[in-house]
């Protein structure tokens, strides 16, 4: 999947964590465990925690462009697929094709008056703190020069968006992954958001494994390359931490359909430009892709060590990103050993 070029280019900017046991072969549990650190429902994702701490009042503090986005009621999130769709929400009276009014001014004024009257009626009712915050954000977004115009002002024209691309799989998959990455980065650039989720599917290769995995993995690597290139272009790359992972991995053997089934041991890639903790691999698997125990203090392979789970990785990320206190106070602590993944002096290579 052309991964040699990708890893050579970004080695110094990444920490690869191998041998992480998702303890399941069920997609739902694997997704939940890998992105919240818990294999039962109700816990927030890492992105939700980050938004709750760093962007609680921003209109797009936490954006989901696909993937698992549980908030545990710590923050709200905005779900969208195409960033260009926000134009119609921010400027509903303008035709997006030619920039001209899409309806007579008198009609637009009537609609605006109706919306304002509805808001005033809502304000007379008994609303929760969350509802009040959402209503305030809505009112602010409708202001003539509200904060959301900062995003509207930097959105490109239609031909400035990344196009959907073909991925050379047997299904002839089409992917807009780069376009969604572009949207996330534009939100970050506008200062209106601090965390986002993006997902891509197609990897459940129970049949004809190699024909799917190679092109898809190559596409993901190329897309991550685009992500960092565009982030540098926007001048925000050095403020971003990117976490790459999956629900689990694939078996260490082929089935009778030349496919590979679910395998509970997987990996994460954590990326940030010129990271002091980069250029390292932590965690060990054997030749059959079974995770091996490591000492949580030295990070070296040890018969008396632990098998890492997503909880260990998330605890390390919470500490690294300054989110542990918030998570604990909200009732979502981890009762696992601390594994200091980000200590540059501790190094183990699989």
């Amino acid at each position: 999947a052309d991964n040699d070029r990708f890893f050579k280019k970004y080695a110094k900017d990444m920490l690869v964590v191998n041998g992480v046991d998702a303890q399941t072969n069920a997609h739902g549990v694997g997704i939940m465990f890998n992105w919240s650190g818990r294999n039962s429902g109700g816990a927030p994702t890492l992105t939700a925690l980050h938004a709750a701490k760093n962007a609680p009042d921003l209109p797009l503090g936490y954006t989901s462009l696909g993937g698992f986005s549980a908030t545990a009621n710590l923050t709200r999130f905005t779900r969208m697929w195409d960033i260009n769709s926000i134009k119609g929400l921010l400027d509903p009276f303008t035709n997006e094709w030619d920039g001209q009014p899409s309806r007579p001014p008198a009609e637009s004024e009537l609609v605006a008056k109706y919306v304002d009257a509805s808001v005033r009626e809502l304000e007379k009712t008994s609303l929760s703190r969350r509802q009040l915050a959402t209503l305030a954000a809505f009112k602010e977004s409708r202001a003539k020069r509200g904060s959301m115009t900062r995003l509207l002002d930097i959105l490109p024209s239609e031909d400035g968006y990344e196009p959907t691309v073909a991925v050379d799989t047997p299904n002839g998959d089409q992917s807009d992954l780069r376009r969604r990455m572009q949207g996330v980065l534009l939100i970050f650039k506008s200062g209106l958001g601090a965390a986002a989720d993006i997902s891509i599917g197609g990897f459940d290769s129970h049949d004809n494994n190699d024909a799917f995995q190679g092109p898809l993995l190559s596409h993901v690597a190329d897309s991550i390359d685009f992500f960092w290139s565009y982030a540098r272009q926007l001048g925000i790359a050095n403020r971003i931490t990117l976490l790459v992972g999956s629900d689990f991995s694939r078996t260490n053997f082929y089935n009778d359909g030349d496919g590979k089934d679910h395998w509970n041991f997987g990996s994460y890639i954590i990326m940030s430009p010129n990271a002091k903790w980069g250029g390292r691999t932590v965690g060990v698997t054997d030749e059959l892709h079974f995770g091996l125990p490591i000492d949580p203090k030295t990070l070296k392979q040890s018969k008396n060590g632990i098998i890492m789970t997503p909880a260990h990785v998330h605890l390390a990320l919470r500490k690294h990103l300054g989110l542990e206190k918030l998570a604990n106070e909200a009732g979502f602590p981890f009762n696992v050993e601390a594994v200091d993944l980000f200590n540059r002096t501790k190094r183990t290579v699989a």
Side-chain angles (χ1 to χ4, degrees), residues 6 12 14 134 136 154 166 175-176 187 196 237 243 281 286 311 318 340:
F6 173 71
K12 69 180 187 326
M14 66 168 62
T134 301
I154 65 172
S175 171
D176 63 351
I187 290 172
L243 178 62
T281 301
D286 64 15
R318 285 181 179 183
D340 191 2

Side-chain angles (χ1 to χ4, degrees), residues 56-74:
D57 299 319
L58 293 183
L60 297 174
Y62 180 18
T63 307
S64 173
L65 288 91
F68 181 70
S69 305
T71 66
N73 289 323
L74 296 179

Side-chain angles (χ1 to χ4, degrees), residues 18-269:
N18 286 326
V20 181
D21 187 3
Q23 300 177 337
T24 183
N25 65 358
H27 287 295
V29 178
I31 291 169
M32 185 163 46
F33 202 2
N34 272 280
W35 299 113
S36 73
R38 287 196 179 187
N39 55 11
S40 57
T45 61
L46 187 76
T47 32
L49 287 170
H50 185 74
K53 178 179 179 182
N54 297 292
D57 299 319
L58 293 183
L60 297 174
Y62 180 18
T63 307
S64 173
L65 288 91
F68 181 70
S69 305
T71 66
N73 289 323
L74 296 179
T75 188
R76 62 181 185 272
F77 73 89
T78 301
R79 188 182 297 282
M80 69 176 77
W81 202 255
D82 188 342
I83 188 67
N84 194 40
S85 64
I86 209 164
K87 282 185 177 180
L89 295 174
L90 296 179
D91 194 7
F93 303 127
T94 299
N95 190 316
E96 63 180 285
W97 290 279
D98 59 15
Q100 300 300 312
S102 57
R103 51 175 56 94
E107 185 177 322
S108 298
E109 291 174 8
L110 184 63
V111 172
K113 287 179 180 179
Y114 178 82
V115 172
D116 289 338
S118 298
V119 169
R120 287 194 295 271
E121 288 300 313
L122 269 176
E123 290 175 327
K124 295 177 183 178
T125 62
S126 178
L127 299 175
S128 68
R129 186 171 63 177
R130 171 67 62 78
Q131 290 171 321
L132 287 169
T134 301
L135 186 60
F138 174 72
K139 290 171 65 178
E140 199 276 342
S141 72
R142 294 187 68 240
K144 190 167 185 180
R145 290 302 297 174
S147 64
M148 288 295 287
T149 58
R150 299 206 305 265
L151 177 58
L152 188 62
D153 289 344
I154 65 172
L155 290 181
S157 59
E158 182 59 36
D159 59 2
Y161 287 100
E162 285 294 302
T164 297
V165 299
V167 184
D168 189 22
T169 65
N171 290 342
D173 290 275
Q174 301 286 314
S175 171
D176 63 351
L177 179 60
R178 291 179 211 172
R179 186 181 179 107
R180 285 181 285 136
M181 288 177 165
Q182 183 182 23
V184 163
L185 292 170
L186 287 167
I187 290 172
F188 292 167
K189 175 65 177 179
S190 72
L192 300 180
D197 300 323
I198 310 174
S199 69
I200 179 173
F203 292 93
D204 202 22
S205 48
H206 293 283
D207 295 290
N208 203 7
N209 177 82
D210 294 2
F212 283 95
Q213 294 290 337
L216 283 167
L217 288 170
S218 181
H219 172 61
V220 169
D222 287 343
S223 298
I224 294 174
D225 190 17
F226 161 78
F227 178 92
W228 288 116
S229 175
Y230 196 69
R232 288 192 298 272
Q233 180 182 327
L234 295 176
I236 59 175
N238 63 344
R239 297 165 50 198
I240 295 175
T241 298
L242 177 66
L243 178 62
V244 184
S246 184
D247 43 5
F248 35 60
S249 187
R250 314 305 298 181
T251 48
N252 54 23
F253 56 86
Y254 292 89
N255 60 30
D256 57 7
D258 289 326
K260 292 194 172 190
D261 301 315
H262 299 172
W263 188 254
N264 52 301
F265 286 100
S267 302
Y268 289 96
I269 300 175

